[in-house]
């Protein structure tokens, strides 16, 4: 582990982090030690979606752990002023387990909102990139209408477009193929491969046994919760 960290660009680092995983276990602490470099993909198996959401929130600095340190690109989330932390989160793409859609906005506005907030890219440039991603994820075009009007399959593909738009440095995927969206798999794997090629780090969190047990899945590392710890599983 030490040799690997020394030789790579460390994107995400969690050292002796203690976090509560919610009402499922009475708020008991879970210990997390986690390191991920640019170009690496970590597959994390979770029994409950709340575990993935808690990890993603801590990794992106949205919640502060009870103890320990989380570094993103060498910066300690707990030591950053709020404005700096918000700006740094512009380098993170995420598929949320519960959608995180704003129903008073159109799907197009939802997809572009993070990039409009964090960058000065033109709508035309964003449109072209989003269209290319839509094609990879099996959509004939960008989802139209408002989120409440879209099919679940289109929402899931839209979430993937939003997560990868703008070439993020860290990509957090909370059960991206949940609900039986197996048709997303090939497009996701290919898009992740492209992201890893430009140096992004990817965390794929899944509750699907079929993905976890698939030895052809191109994970650099595999993790799962064992008791009160997130443990790396030897390949």
């Amino acid at each position: 582990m030490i040799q690997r960290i020394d030789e790579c660009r460390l994107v995400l680092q969690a050292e002796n982090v203690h976090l509560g995983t919610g009402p499922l276990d009475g708020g008991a602490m879970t210990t997390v030690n986690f390191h991920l470099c640019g170009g690496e993909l970590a597959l994390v198996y979770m029994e409950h979606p709340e575990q993935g959401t808690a990890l993603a929130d801590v990794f992106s600095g949205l919640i502060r752990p009870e103890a320990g340190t989380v570094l993103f690109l060498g910066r300690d989330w707990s030591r950053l002023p709020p404005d700096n932390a918000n700006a740094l989160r512009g380098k993170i793409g995420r598929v949320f387990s519960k959608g995180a859609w704003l129903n008073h906005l159109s799907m197009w506005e939802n997809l572009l909102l993070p990039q409009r907030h964090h960058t000065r890219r033109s709508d035309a440039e964003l449109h072209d990139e989003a269209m290319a991603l839509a094609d990879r994820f099996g959509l004939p075009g960008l989802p139209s209408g408002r989120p409440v009007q879209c099919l679940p399959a289109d929402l899931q593909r839209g979430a993937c477009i939003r997560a990868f738009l703008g070439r993020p440095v860290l990509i957090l995927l909370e059960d991206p193929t949940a609900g039986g969206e197996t048709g997303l798999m090939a497009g996701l794997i290919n898009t992740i491969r492209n992201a890893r090629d430009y140096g992004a780090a990817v965390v794929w969190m899944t509750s699907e046994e079929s993905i976890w047990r698939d030895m052809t899945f191109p994970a650099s590392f595999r993790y799962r919760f064992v008791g009160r710890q997130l443990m790396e599983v030897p390949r």
Side-chain angles (χ1 to χ4, degrees), residues 7 59 85 101 136 138 145 183 189 202 222 227 229 231:
E7 293 176 351
F59 287 167
W101 300 107
R136 286 186 197 170
I189 294 298
V202 184
R222 291 170 181 260
Q229 295 190 57
M231 303 285 291

Side-chain angles (χ1 to χ4, degrees), residues 74-89:
R75 297 174 176 89
D76 184 342
W77 284 120
S78 68
R79 296 179 178 275
L80 288 174
D83 287 347
N84 295 51
N86 287 334
L88 194 59
R89 273 189 283 273

Side-chain angles (χ1 to χ4, degrees), residues 149-167:
Q149 299 170 316
C150 291
L151 296 172
D154 289 345
L155 285 175
Q156 201 74 357
R157 285 164 169 76
C160 292
I161 293 171
R162 181 176 60 184
F164 286 90
L165 196 62
R167 292 168 63 93

